[in-house]
Amino acid sequence: MATTNWLVSSPTPSVFLHPSVNPRLAFASIKNQTLVKTRVSFLGNAKRRLPAVLSMTATEEGAVKSVLPGNGISIMVNGCTGKMGKAVIKAADTAGVNIVPTSFGSASEAGQTVEVCGKEITVHGPTEREEVLSSVFQKHPELIVVDYTIPTAVNDNAELYSRVGVPFVMGTTGGDREKLYESVEKAKIYAVISPQMGKQVVAFLAAMEIMAEQFPGAFSGYSLEVMESHQASKLDASGTAKAVISCFQELGVSYDMDQIQLIRDPKQQVEMVGVPEEHVSGHAFYLYHLTSPDETVSFEFQHNVCGRSIYAEGTVDAVLFLAKKIRLKADQRIYNMIDVLREGNMR
């Protein structure tokens, strides 16, 4: 599956090149690491289920039609000053979803007005969040909040949404994920929580989890090398990479999450990783390289994304999915993007 993009070496020596490793590989070899037994599951706390049969009752069909864009659903995008937040607003606007002209940001952003798709959105700071959210929710009873803020705000934001009772789609990675699920479960609100919103990438992650479950130990003894490249503004290691690595660990590979090679320098991204210059400010490139103990066999898994449209479109699908579940008063309340994929009703 790999292409040559990741195999472009910098014309000058790179700190990521290991002298004892094949110079084709722009990352250091990680061997003999202790197996990390804590599973980072893409499914979160949800139990894996067999694919759903895509048949609907008349009530379900009505719910599907009622949540199509233009049928009462409103979203409030927190983090609208960021590129991901703006991308979601554009995708939602194109889909015909109503966008509330209110958003939350940092204290330094409070009072700012952001114009996206001809809409002026007022940013509110931390001190007035609960009062503002309660007021917006009262005015828009079918409101769904979309969160693309920062990792350190994940838990505080989730607790706020839980207190007010507003359903939400959490696209922000990081934070204490166990605490995040606990907050939502305790409040009994509806939410889609996912470290990855790109639908096609989600399908790849689901396939990895199935392989890990069905063939544990298949790669026992293999060494793993992982590189992930994102725009410099992404502060944390990718939740997607961690989920894939957890699958490889169940397949028998020893690897320490701290050894993920994080590429954040624009020059290295262009020269070493092969990121197009126009996408340095917004991309997600991943490479997982496996080598057998005797170094006679190797496998590469790679997925590269330029831009943010794949995540924005997936987020809008998640919003419509969640709105349907709310209208059906579904027993299950916490979902992820695999649930959205299973539904089979994406645009």
Side-chain angles (χ1 to χ4, degrees):
M1 278 185 277
T3 66
T4 58
N5 279 355
W6 279 87
L7 307 178
V8 178
S9 297
S10 171
T12 56
S14 168
V15 294
F16 294 93
L17 290 174
H18 194 286
S20 64
V21 183
N22 185 329
R24 276 192 340 109
L25 304 178
F27 41 73
S29 178
I30 308 301
K31 297 184 179 181
N32 301 318
Q33 300 289 343
T34 302
L35 177 62
V36 179
K37 296 185 180 297
T38 302
R39 174 67 189 274
V40 181
S41 175
F42 180 75
L43 293 177
N45 290 356
K47 184 178 180 180
R48 185 180 291 116
R49 298 177 298 284
L50 293 175
V53 177
L54 300 178
S55 61
M56 295 184 289
T57 64
T59 301
E60 290 173 327
E61 289 178 351
V64 171
K65 292 178 181 177
S66 67
V67 300
L68 291 176
N71 283 278
I73 306 304
S74 296
I75 65 169
M76 173 181 174
V77 181
N78 288 335
C80 75
T81 59
K83 293 179 180 179
M84 191 62 232
K86 290 177 181 177
V88 170
I89 292 172
K90 291 177 181 177
D93 182 67
T94 299
V97 176
N98 181 52
I99 300 158
V100 173
T102 306
S103 180
F104 293 153
S106 64
S108 62
E109 295 171 331
Q112 289 186 19
T113 298
V114 179
E115 185 174 337
V116 186
C117 298
K119 297 173 173 56
E120 292 189 349
I121 301 173
T122 302
V123 181
H124 295 267
T127 59
E128 52 185 345
R129 295 186 313 159
E130 187 161 349
E131 180 181 352
V132 170
L133 183 58
S134 298
S135 176
V136 171
F137 193 29
Q138 184 175 10
K139 185 177 180 180
H140 302 276
E142 291 193 283
L143 178 72
I144 293 177
V145 172
V146 173
D147 192 296
Y148 276 105
T149 54
I150 57 176
T152 55
V154 165
N155 294 110
D156 284 345
N157 287 352
E159 288 175 5
L160 170 65
Y161 308 148
S162 297
R163 286 198 304 273
V164 178
V166 182
F168 65 90
V169 173
M170 178 62 74
T172 311
T173 60
D176 185 331
R177 305 307 275 192
E178 184 175 346
K179 184 179 179 181
L180 169 60
Y181 280 97
E182 287 176 355
S183 297
V184 180
E185 288 173 351
K186 184 177 180 181
K188 296 182 178 180
I189 62 173
Y190 288 90
V192 173
I193 301 172
S194 177
Q196 171 59 252
M197 289 292 177
K199 294 174 285 188
Q200 292 75 21
V201 178
V202 168
F204 166 69
L205 287 167
M208 286 297 303
E209 292 215 350
I210 291 170
M211 182 166 67
E213 184 179 74
Q214 295 295 320
F215 309 110
F219 285 92
S220 293
Y222 275 63
S223 61
L224 175 64
E225 302 153 0
V226 181
M227 177 192 283
E228 64 101 327
S229 174
H230 284 83
Q231 57 277 4
S233 60
K234 182 171 176 57
L235 305 177
D236 57 334
S238 167
T240 300
K242 290 179 179 179
V244 173
I245 290 168
S246 289
C247 292
F248 282 128
Q249 288 173 336
E250 289 196 12
L251 288 163
V253 177
S254 296
Y255 190 85
D256 188 329
M257 293 288 184
D258 292 337
Q259 301 300 324
I260 300 173
Q261 295 256 332
L262 305 180
I263 311 299
R264 297 294 184 268
D265 179 72
K267 184 178 180 181
Q268 291 176 333
Q269 290 170 343
V270 173
E271 296 178 351
M272 184 176 72
V273 180
V275 178
E277 287 191 37
E278 63 270 28
H279 292 295
V280 165
S281 63
H283 70 277
F285 277 37
Y286 299 80
L287 179 66
Y288 313 90
H289 185 89
L290 293 151
T291 305
S292 64
D294 63 1
E295 299 186 352
T296 62
V297 181
S298 66
F299 291 82
E300 286 186 357
F301 297 79
Q302 179 176 333
H303 50 100
N304 299 342
V305 174
C306 291
R308 297 175 174 83
S309 62
I310 185 175
Y311 312 119
E313 291 295 333
T315 301
V316 173
D317 281 328
V319 166
L320 298 178
F321 165 89
L322 194 60
K324 174 192 168 184
K325 295 302 179 184
I326 294 169
R327 288 185 175 180
L328 287 173
K329 298 180 180 178
D331 292 331
Q332 182 180 343
R333 291 173 180 266
I334 303 177
Y335 301 92
N336 53 56
M337 282 300 290
I338 292 179
D339 295 309
V340 178
L341 280 172
R342 282 200 184 97
E343 196 76 7
N345 294 316
M346 292 173 291
R347 299 163 297 120

